[in-house]
Amino acid sequence: RFFRFLALLLAMLAISPAAHAAGRTVLINSDAFYDPKGGIPALLTAMNQLNNEFKPTSNEIAALDTKISIEEKALAAAIAADDSAAATTHNNALVQLTRDAKAKSDDAQRRIDVRRKTLVGPIEAKVMKAMSVYAAEKDIDVILDANSGPIYVSPNWAKDNDMTADFIAWYKAQPAN
């Protein structure tokens, strides 16, 4: 996620010797930005558009997965029947289908990554910029993203310092959001 280095970025932007004494550390759950019920509408719209654009490709990959499952069953049946010619045919078909599915999946992932950067990237950048403004307004030195990797936060501290809902509400209330 793009929030992986959020804590570091905001720490660099927000920490000054004077602010450090008064600031605090809080928790954000960036997955909530994509929650259909309470997330950031612009991110949801962009992700829905991205998903819709690649739905045909996703359907093609799912169809290949179905064909692979059928070939696996046919191969198992040929082996059980001790039919080496059929087993070889099904194995060759299975190898080719698996290769095709992997190539199609890898290509789709590359195209999705490029399109995501174009479609969602600018919105994520806007959210990050807004988060630095939010941090300054709320006297926050460090924002930890619960989804940025392995961190330990005690449940009580997380409950008291989770600013996710507050940030999303603040972000939605800003002009042009």
Side-chain angles (χ1 to χ4, degrees):
R1 289 213 159 242
F2 78 100
F3 291 103
R4 187 163 300 277
F5 296 104
L6 181 63
L8 178 61
L9 172 68
L10 289 174
M12 291 186 319
L13 291 174
I15 294 177
S16 70
H20 183 49
R24 60 190 176 132
T25 300
V26 299
L27 186 68
I28 290 279
N29 180 349
S30 62
D31 277 354
F33 298 172
Y34 299 91
D35 181 357
K37 293 179 183 175
I40 296 174
L43 284 173
L44 294 169
T45 300
M47 288 304 292
N48 286 336
Q49 182 179 343
L50 184 68
N51 290 337
N52 290 336
E53 286 179 20
F54 286 93
K55 187 160 183 60
T57 302
S58 177
N59 291 342
E60 290 173 22
I61 293 168
L64 282 172
D65 287 342
T66 300
K67 289 179 183 179
I68 288 170
S69 293
I70 292 168
E71 281 300 326
E72 287 172 336
K73 290 175 185 169
L75 175 59
I79 291 170
D82 201 25
D83 184 348
S84 63
T88 299
T89 300
H90 289 298
N91 186 60
N92 291 341
L94 182 58
V95 167
Q96 186 59 48
L97 283 169
T98 302
R99 190 177 296 137
D100 292 348
K102 180 168 179 10
K104 186 170 281 293
S105 181
D106 290 348
D107 177 60
Q109 190 59 56
R110 280 190 296 277
R111 291 184 301 129
I112 289 168
D113 291 345
V114 167
R115 183 65 174 133
R116 187 180 193 287
K117 286 178 186 173
T118 303
L119 189 63
V120 181
I123 300 166
E124 290 175 336
K126 184 177 176 184
V127 170
M128 283 196 59
K129 184 176 180 182
M131 198 170 296
S132 66
V133 172
Y134 172 83
E137 285 183 13
K138 302 285 184 169
D139 194 28
I140 297 169
D141 282 336
V142 178
I143 297 177
L144 300 173
D145 184 356
N147 298 303
S148 67
I151 60 170
Y152 172 76
V153 176
S154 76
N156 289 336
W157 184 89
K159 180 182 166 196
D160 295 340
N161 293 285
D162 187 343
M163 302 300 289
T164 306
D166 186 60
F167 172 72
I168 292 172
W170 177 89
Y171 183 84
K172 289 178 179 179
Q174 299 307 299
N177 286 329

